[in-house]
Amino acid sequence: MATMPPPLRRAAALLLVVLAGVLASTARADLVISKADRRVDLTSHIVRVLASLKVENVGPDPVSQVLLAFPNIQAKNLAAIRAFGSEGKVKGQSTVLPIQVVQPSGAPPELTFFSALLPKPLEKGKTLYLDVLTVFTHSLQPFPEEITQAEAQLVVYQDSAHYLSPYPVKAQTLAIRLPGGRVESYTRHPNAKLVDSELKYGPFHDLPPFSYLPVIVHFENNNPFAVAKEVIREIEISHWGNVQITEHYNIAHGGARLKGEFSRIDYQSRPYVRGVSSFRHLIAKLPPRAHSIYYRDEIGNISTSHLWSDSMKTQLEIEPRFPLFGGWQTTFTVGYGLPLKDFVFYSDGKRFLNITFGSPLEEILIEKLIVKVVLPEGSKDIEVSAPFPTQKWQEVKYSHLDIVGRPVVVLEKPDVIPEHNLYFQVYYKFNNISLLREPLMLISGFFLLFVACIVYMRTDMSISKSSPSYLAKLQWDEVQATVQKIQGIFEQCLAVHDKLEASLRDLSRTGDIQSCKAARKAADAQFKELSKDLKPLLTTLHSSPQSYQIWPKVEDLIAKEREMQEKLMTRHSTVVDSFEKKLRGQDVENRIALQQQKIAALRQEVESLLEYISEI
């Protein structure tokens, strides 16, 4: 027999004790299961069990329900249960049977009972063919719970080789389908047989009610254990022709936790050996006419995805930024658009959305799924029809150009599996006139904007020309224009100064005294002409009341420039006179040294005053 982990061993022992005490008190003698064939699918981390039962009524009275029993340790992980039945000597067309939780009299609290309600009572001697599909989550326990990067993942599954039922069972078999790979151990009974990747137990005959024979299988399962801690699925309806789907995922690897360090080099060189227990991608099957598909996370768009589409389906392969090992998790967002006419219909005065409830990702367990249906603004009389129980409430969402907000229907359900990916409906009333609300708001907004622009352009917003502030502004503008002209004259004076300096340099180089005198004479004429142009400007500036700040600086500038002009002309005469007397160069330098220093200082002061006046 396989080595059983301690928690499973204690649970099995407790269950055997409980069942031994309830065989007589809870047995139902009206029905007999003449044949029970069970098939357990362990190829995924979601366990699916299909029980095909042949039920006979051997009692005197008609029976309207069939009880289904599960241990509490197994029922707490039950995510979905469905029953299909057909009455007759041979198995025919099956109908879906309603399922509800019941508590039969005398039933122990360690067992959970469900009742499959028959469409009509099963008469004495009649036969019912019943197929029961049960789906369990968290039923595969990693053992060991931690593995290294290079190790394969081993899991343990516990069940009963006998079909646990409140009715006697004449004949039964059990077939367990494994994912392939290594089978570490399994419970060996005399009629147990492992063929390829299928483990078979039975047949068993003439078993009493609540017969239980523990079975434990320890095997390798490296398929993706994709567990979403939370998924928020938003479905936004726009009657302009689109249904926008946005899905926010927080996915973790629910298998054996990674022990030790992760080596990217080893993983990339041998990914199927050095990362066999991880998974790198997920498959999402979208509706065939999905468009505008994107896949991103908090960083931005994720380019490691592949899309295939045809007339029957659209398949999106999602590859996270890094491989997921046990205990690792990642978050991302998937969005796409759908044609409105494929999912929103009209019936009996109401529109209704008909779309699937769950996630399009394959073989994913969602521990908490929140579906938000955002209806157009103005929707009313909202009703929801779901194929299974959910928590429901309503919210309001505000988007662009909304006034009262858009009604949002919120559905929440725990432990959602692919079997829950069924169609649900949201019914609501919506007036087509409401479609014109946003266009009319835009048209009105632009119209008012244009009217405001026309009024603004035709309105005289200027200050009155007789107001003191307007007159002061005109005076200040006149002062600025005058100052600019004065600055131009002084800059011309400085240019004449530079020409005089250049004539002295030419004199020392060529000795042409006549040319130097002609340059001085021309400069003197230019100075007189500039002084003549300056007088009316100074008169205008002095007479303006707005020039009180700048006038002292202008007066100082005039005095400094005239002094520099006089010093420069004196120095020019001294140099020319020295050249006529044929004095030595050193003697000439000595005669003009003090004048040169004074001229340089005055030049610097004049330029500083010009810069100051320009800033004002």
Side-chain angles (χ1 to χ4, degrees), residues 120 179 198 207 226 240 261 315 321 347 383 410 418 442 512:
K120 63 178 182 178
E198 187 172 72
L207 298 177
W240 292 102
E261 297 181 350
Q315 184 168 298
R321 295 187 184 272
S347 176
E383 298 178 0
V410 184
L442 288 174
D512 188 353

Side-chain angles (χ1 to χ4, degrees), residues 331-387:
T331 58
F332 58 84
T333 300
V334 176
Y336 51 94
L338 300 172
L340 179 73
K341 63 181 181 180
D342 292 351
F343 297 92
V344 176
F345 307 94
Y346 187 83
S347 176
D348 297 332
K350 277 192 173 185
R351 304 175 190 269
F352 67 95
L353 170 73
N354 186 44
I355 199 168
T356 53
F357 180 82
S359 167
L361 293 181
E362 291 183 341
E363 291 304 301
I364 183 173
L365 165 63
I366 304 175
E367 294 183 346
K368 180 181 179 181
L369 174 62
I370 299 176
V371 177
K372 296 183 177 182
V373 180
V374 183
L375 300 175
E377 189 178 25
S379 301
K380 57 184 180 179
D381 296 341
I382 302 171
E383 298 178 0
V384 180
S385 175

Side-chain angles (χ1 to χ4, degrees), residues 276-322:
V276 64
S277 64
S278 68
F279 64 88
R280 300 184 60 178
H281 64 269
L282 297 168
I283 301 296
K285 291 187 176 180
L286 308 180
R289 299 177 65 186
H291 60 86
S292 305
I293 302 170
Y294 64 85
Y295 165 48
R296 62 172 180 246
D297 59 7
E298 295 178 351
I299 299 176
N301 184 62
I302 304 176
S303 59
T304 54
S305 61
H306 306 281
L307 181 68
W308 298 272
S309 61
D310 54 31
S311 60
M312 301 300 295
K313 66 179 183 304
T314 300
Q315 184 168 298
L316 175 65
E317 182 182 81
I318 296 173
E319 185 173 340
R321 295 187 184 272
F322 50 87

